[in-house]
Amino acid sequence: MPSKLDTTKFTPLFRQWLRVKQELPEALVLFRLGDFYEMFGDDAEVGARELQLTLTSRECSRDQRIPMCGVPHHALNRYLRQLVQKGYRVAVVEQTEDPKRAKGLVRREVTRVVTRGTVMEDDMLPGAQHNFLASVARAGARFGLAVVDVSTGDFLVTELEEPVARARGVGNHLLPEAEGTTQRAVLGPLLDELGRLQPAEVLLSPELGTEEGLRVAISELVGPSIAVAEENPFSDPGRELREFFGVLDLAGYGCEGMPAAQEAAAQALRYLQAQRPSGLPHFAGLSTYSPQQFMLLDIQTRRNLELERTLLEGRREGSLLGLLDRTRTPMGSRELRQSLLQPLVSLADIQARLDAVEELVNGVVAAGEARDCLRQVYDLERLTARVTARTANPRDLRALADSLERLPGLKAALGECRADLLVELTAQVDELPELTERLRGALADDPPAQLTDGGIMRSGYSPELDELRDAATHGREWIAALQHRERERTGIKSLRVGYNQVFGYYIEVTKANLGAVPSDYERKQTLTNAERFVTPELKEMEAKILGAEERARELEHELFVALRDWVAERGKELLATARALARIDMLLALAEVAVEYGYCK
């Protein structure tokens, strides 16, 4: 906030903005004003510099102006992505009531605070990689680690030992015996796990947030996106988690006796709820894992083995992941990457996966048919997350319907498989026929991305909507015929009927023909070379058309939101299906590579 401004003189609009800015001083505030998201004050100067926008100013009181820049509402995600990638925290303030119906100042609220680890929008995410928020806490001599991907609904927790007998080098960073509670801690297990996960953002407990050595070590691994959780002295992590997931205890999740993991998970939840007050996606629950379930690969080993990047050029092409990734879906690609970075150590699990791949290698036709089906399946994990968070747009639901329609073919292709893992995964794929049928019957074939654009719902889905559309269509047809009728009636061949948002529908007559204007024409607007008129009949039809169009848009919005809420209730089944499809996709990719290169079991 420019220090020279007297905020006590601010207009009501700017007092509304100021309240948000004072609540979120570290965030850049994108404030919805009509068709633009505006930034003001210091935020505007940052936004203009980082986004290459023109910096202007706006009157914030009778004798004061404040710096301002803005972006069009339809381009929000493009600019938001740039700011988040540069490490900024961005608060999005939406108009939460219709300006036409607002009495006085339009109500506005923060609907989300976007950071690298809380992004859900597809065009802001890496498709083939998880976008993790890693939350780190400590209880006694153990670190708790919670890993959340809000874009897919993954929520993992673990605990890591904190040996204190000796210091050791971690990568190129030697953790010294320095001041603070991490004086003699060996942070290797924690840093190795963060290095494997490569989180987009790391959230540290208030205690750990003061440890400079830890912050430096983490930033060397995953970059500068480190946040520190707010103090919460009255927190009961176990109770918070039980209430959020609606369970009596955490034993079913495997973390009942893990206080550090519980603290990290509750800390992540509090952070996410603050960042996304409009709602979180569906989480099936907590998945507790132990690094001992997998082969332990430290940072240097993963680099030297070139599992996902080449050593010299840092390219995916030429790495093991680049060789093996023949997946057809982003969720399958993420599953393959995780499996490479967490090699199995259970002989039974390894054998089950090999048996599944062997059957797909031998069943070339079935595997090919399954791949063809998956090629037409969208990222169900992320679609489900957006649906359950109530942020999915019409095209998201259309993509969901198109994906579900491919599942019967996929299950038929794999129906004859006998490998235990393939049988298990195929059974976990729920075709959800009722959901597919309703989405297909409700949505237009090519709906718009924006809820406000109209044309979302299919004709025949709602009789009331169809009636409103018919009224608007017939009214526009009447208007289109009006020009011909009035030219015939008046003899003015240059007469035309037009429309603009300020004056509505009008009849325009050039000044040379004003003498032929009938007496029932009412002057509406004077131009340099013409006059614009209306008639009582035209005004009446305009009211009908615009009223029908406005009510149709409102009803269509209501119908879509109700449909999305109904789909969200099936989030658990959708997410389970998505997870099964991801693993099937990975197995098909491994089989394809095995056939191409002649790999054997």
Side-chain angles (χ1 to χ4, degrees):
M1 173 65 59
S3 57
K4 61 183 179 182
L5 289 176
D6 182 356
T7 59
T8 62
K9 297 180 179 180
F10 273 10
T11 63
L13 174 69
F14 279 94
R15 288 200 297 272
Q16 188 184 53
W17 167 80
L18 184 61
R19 281 194 296 272
V20 175
K21 188 62 189 172
Q22 289 173 337
E23 291 172 3
L24 299 165
E26 296 181 359
L28 298 178
V29 176
L30 283 168
F31 194 78
R32 182 72 182 262
L33 277 179
D35 291 335
F36 283 80
Y37 288 92
E38 305 287 3
M39 287 178 275
F40 300 109
D42 295 339
D43 290 358
E45 295 179 1
V46 171
R49 181 181 69 247
E50 298 289 4
L51 302 175
Q52 300 297 300
L53 301 173
T54 300
L55 184 66
T56 60
S57 66
R58 178 172 174 142
E59 194 173 82
C60 56
S61 68
R62 181 171 296 180
D63 55 353
Q64 297 183 112
R65 299 187 70 83
I66 191 170
M68 179 183 82
C69 70
V71 299
H73 73 95
H74 57 79
L76 172 64
N77 281 356
R78 176 159 59 92
Y79 291 104
L80 197 55
R81 179 174 62 248
Q82 293 181 50
L83 291 173
V84 170
Q85 287 175 346
K86 290 173 183 286
Y88 291 101
R89 186 180 304 268
V90 185
V92 180
V93 179
E94 299 285 3
Q95 296 175 169
T96 54
E97 67 176 329
D98 187 343
K100 295 178 181 177
R101 298 185 174 184
K103 295 180 179 179
L105 188 63
V106 175
R107 185 171 62 250
R108 294 178 174 85
E109 295 176 3
V110 177
T111 56
R112 53 185 168 141
V113 180
V114 186
T115 64
R116 284 184 177 178
T118 59
V119 172
M120 291 188 68
E121 292 74 13
D122 246 5
D123 55 358
M124 296 172 63
L125 289 165
Q129 188 170 335
H130 276 289
N131 196 72
F132 284 132
L133 167 72
S135 171
V136 185
R138 183 165 52 193
R142 298 178 75 86
F143 284 109
L145 177 63
V147 187
V148 189
D149 186 342
V150 292
S151 73
T152 62
D154 286 281
F155 202 143
L156 314 172
V157 294
T158 190
E159 284 192 351
L160 303 161
E161 292 284 356
E162 183 191 337
V164 293
R166 59 188 174 84
R168 84 171 194 194
V170 181
N172 296 322
H173 184 81
L174 182 66
L175 296 174
E177 294 188 20
E179 295 183 1
T181 53
T182 57
Q183 285 179 2
R184 300 175 56 81
V186 179
L187 296 173
L190 173 63
L191 297 181
D192 281 342
E193 192 64 3
L194 291 176
R196 178 185 69 80
L197 294 164
Q198 287 295 299
E201 184 178 3
V202 177
L203 176 67
L204 298 176
S205 66
E207 172 199 3
L208 295 176
T210 64
E211 302 297 336
E212 189 60 30
L214 176 60
R215 293 178 66 117
V216 169
I218 290 175
S219 65
E220 287 181 358
L221 280 176
V222 300
S225 289
I226 299 174
V228 178
E230 294 184 3
E231 291 278 0
N232 193 347
F234 306 108
S235 168
D236 179 347
R239 179 178 55 79
E240 289 180 64
L241 295 174
R242 290 192 299 271
E243 289 179 355
F244 181 82
F245 290 109
V247 295
L248 295 176
D249 59 57
L250 300 175
Y253 296 143
C255 58
E256 181 68 43
M258 301 172 68
Q262 291 178 27
E263 175 56 44
Q267 176 176 280
L269 270 181
R270 290 193 296 270
Y271 183 73
L272 290 171
Q273 287 168 332
Q275 307 304 313
R276 303 194 71 91
S278 58
L280 293 177
H282 171 78
F283 296 114
L286 294 172
S287 297
T288 302
Y289 74 99
S290 168
Q292 281 69 45
Q293 294 174 252
F294 310 99
M295 183 182 295
L296 299 179
L297 302 176
D298 63 26
I299 299 165
Q300 291 301 332
T301 300
R302 288 196 300 273
R303 288 174 179 164
N304 291 333
L305 288 177
E306 298 185 310
L307 294 184
E308 58 178 332
R309 299 288 172 189
T310 57
L311 196 57
L312 294 179
E313 297 177 328
R315 297 172 60 191
R316 191 174 188 271
E317 183 181 359
S319 69
L320 182 59
L321 180 60
L323 173 73
L324 297 179
D325 194 356
R326 302 295 181 84
T327 56
R328 267 49 178 187
T329 68
M331 52 191 174
S333 185
R334 291 192 296 270
E335 180 71 22
L336 176 60
R337 178 180 179 272
Q338 289 298 105
S339 296
L340 283 182
L341 298 181
Q342 281 186 317
L344 295 174
V345 293
S346 164
L347 182 59
D349 291 342
I350 293 171
Q351 190 63 51
R353 190 157 72 189
L354 287 172
D355 289 346
V357 174
E358 181 181 33
E359 184 161 10
L360 293 172
V361 166
N362 294 330
V364 176
V365 174
E369 291 174 354
R371 290 189 196 100
D372 288 342
C373 293
L374 280 173
R375 188 179 285 112
Q376 300 173 75
V377 171
Y378 291 85
D379 196 335
L380 270 186
E381 283 184 327
R382 286 180 172 166
L383 285 173
T384 300
R386 290 199 293 278
V387 168
T388 55
R390 273 61 173 183
T391 61
N393 63 37
R395 287 184 184 169
D396 287 333
L397 289 196
R398 175 82 266 170
L400 181 61
D402 292 343
S403 300
L404 293 176
E405 287 190 336
R406 308 301 169 190
L407 301 189
L410 176 75
K411 295 195 72 167
L414 300 176
E416 299 301 317
C417 291
R418 292 293 174 263
D420 290 343
L421 182 56
L422 286 175
V423 172
E424 177 187 340
L425 292 175
T426 303
Q428 290 172 7
V429 175
D430 191 337
E431 297 177 28
L432 296 165
E434 182 187 3
L435 178 56
T436 308
E437 183 179 355
R438 181 158 177 183
L439 286 172
R440 177 60 67 190
L443 295 169
D445 289 334
D446 186 22
Q450 300 296 325
L451 272 175
T452 55
D453 289 348
I456 299 169
M457 313 307 290
R458 185 183 295 276
S459 296
Y461 179 70
S462 165
E464 183 183 356
L465 179 60
D466 289 345
E467 289 178 10
L468 291 167
R469 285 174 171 172
D470 286 343
T473 298
H474 292 152
R476 286 191 294 271
E477 291 172 353
W478 184 91
I479 295 278
L482 176 64
Q483 181 170 286
H484 176 72
R485 292 200 305 271
E486 289 303 301
R487 283 182 177 180
E488 291 292 320
R489 181 164 80 101
T490 63
I492 304 172
K493 300 304 180 185
S494 61
L495 178 149
R496 73 180 189 90
V497 176
Y499 173 84
N500 65 39
Q501 290 186 335
V502 177
F503 294 104
Y505 287 99
Y506 57 81
I507 299 170
E508 185 173 291
V509 178
T510 59
K511 290 194 173 179
N513 292 292
L514 290 181
V517 169
S519 60
D520 61 335
Y521 277 27
E522 301 172 12
R523 184 173 277 102
K524 184 83 170 181
Q525 184 186 14
T526 300
L527 304 177
T528 304
N529 299 312
E531 294 280 349
R532 288 176 175 173
F533 301 88
V534 294
T535 66
E537 189 179 24
L538 178 58
K539 287 194 293 185
E540 181 181 351
M541 186 57 68
E542 177 186 63
K544 290 180 180 179
I545 295 171
L546 298 183
E549 289 178 340
E550 181 176 357
R551 175 57 190 144
R553 282 193 296 270
E554 292 174 352
L555 178 58
E556 198 162 30
H557 184 277
E558 294 168 7
L559 292 169
F560 176 80
V561 169
L563 177 66
R564 184 174 61 191
D565 288 345
W566 183 81
V567 175
E569 293 173 2
R570 286 135 187 90
K572 183 177 181 179
E573 297 96 316
L574 283 168
L575 195 54
T577 293
R579 299 278 160 76
L581 291 174
R583 296 185 68 190
I584 290 171
D585 194 10
M586 178 188 72
L587 296 173
L588 287 165
L590 294 176
E592 183 176 352
V593 174
V595 170
E596 181 174 342
Y597 292 106
Y599 295 159
C600 61
K601 184 177 176 182

